[in-house]
Amino acid sequence: MQKLKIASLAASALLLGSGITAATAGPAAASDTPISAARDCTQNAPRFTSWPGTGPNDPAFWPARGTYATTTPRCKDINLKLDSRREVRTCFKRGAGWNCNGWRWLAADRWGLAADNVLDGTKFFLQFKGTSRAAGLIDY
């Protein structure tokens, strides 16, 4: 048993010394992310107000219609904390066009996920169901 422990420790030391880390079995769950990392991402998030739609079938946009934002290394997700409960979808630049994900309900007064695992430098805009402005905090 003692020889097994020593061999295991020696293998770990070798991996660490070479800059290689050993993989663990199974995928990491989203809950494995430290809470402090999520808190750091949304701390000091800027306030936003969307641009209202112009009619019953025209949703509100952020940023303004025809413009987009670009993701940053600050967060791996697009997070919103809305002033009121709303449905939102995120649209991403894909080649010459745009692809939108499905609509998501986000609760009022707490952080919600508009899109997850978004690469840095990705162009995107948000659509909010309904013509009235959406407002709150955003971090991406």
Side-chain angles (χ1 to χ4, degrees):
M1 185 63 123
Q2 187 67 18
K3 288 182 182 181
L4 183 58
K5 279 185 181 180
I6 292 171
S8 178
L9 288 173
S12 295
L14 179 62
L15 287 172
L16 288 173
S18 67
I20 299 171
T21 57
T24 58
S31 62
D32 291 346
T33 303
I35 291 176
S36 62
R39 190 176 299 121
D40 289 346
C41 180
T42 55
Q43 189 174 19
N44 301 317
R47 185 130 184 99
F48 82 95
T49 302
S50 70
W51 293 86
T54 57
N57 296 316
D58 185 21
F61 287 84
W62 182 88
R65 180 189 296 280
T67 65
Y68 58 84
T70 305
T71 58
T72 66
R74 179 177 164 95
C75 300
K76 70 175 185 155
D77 304 323
I78 299 171
N79 303 288
L80 299 173
K81 185 176 183 180
L82 301 175
D83 293 347
S84 62
R85 185 175 187 254
R86 292 290 294 267
E87 273 187 280
V88 63
R89 72 178 180 174
T90 310
C91 300
F92 299 99
K93 183 76 170 162
R94 300 276 193 254
W98 293 87
N99 290 342
C100 300
N101 63 12
W103 293 98
R104 294 180 182 210
W105 276 105
L106 296 183
D109 300 322
R110 66 178 169 180
W111 286 102
L113 191 64
D116 59 345
N117 293 318
V118 182
L119 296 174
D120 295 346
T122 300
K123 297 173 184 170
F124 75 97
F125 66 88
L126 301 173
Q127 283 185 317
F128 295 90
K129 267 199 180 167
T131 57
S132 63
R133 289 181 184 255
L137 301 174
I138 185 169
D139 218 340
Y140 55 92

